[in-house]
Amino acid sequence: MVEAFVRLLCPECGKDWETTPNELPAHRDNFSCQACGATRRTAEFMRTERDLQTLKQFE
């Protein structure tokens, strides 16, 4: 089985990273950047629409 991952990009500091959808809150819940502490909806950290759709599939 292939493990899914999503790519994130902080809208504040520009840090980018990858993680599994299971490690993230729902797309409408708040999430904080590990680098700068900026807090926004998880959906705003998704790098692409495809990453957002992947996250939604695992909610």
Side-chain angles (χ1 to χ4, degrees):
M1 182 174 164
V2 176
E3 188 171 334
F5 68 93
V6 292
R7 297 174 302 156
L8 296 96
L9 176 66
C10 178
E12 294 288 326
C13 71
K15 174 181 170 52
D16 63 329
W17 69 100
E18 295 179 355
T19 191
T20 61
N22 295 333
E23 295 178 7
L24 295 171
H27 74 283
R28 291 185 178 148
D29 292 345
N30 283 340
F31 178 73
S32 296
C33 175
Q34 301 163 347
C36 72
T39 301
R40 296 179 181 216
R41 292 184 317 131
T42 307
E44 295 182 43
F45 284 90
M46 296 298 105
R47 180 167 267 205
T48 66
E49 186 64 30
R50 176 94 169 141
D51 294 316
L52 179 56
Q53 293 307 318
T54 301
L55 176 63
K56 287 180 178 180
Q57 288 178 356
F58 284 84
E59 289 181 359

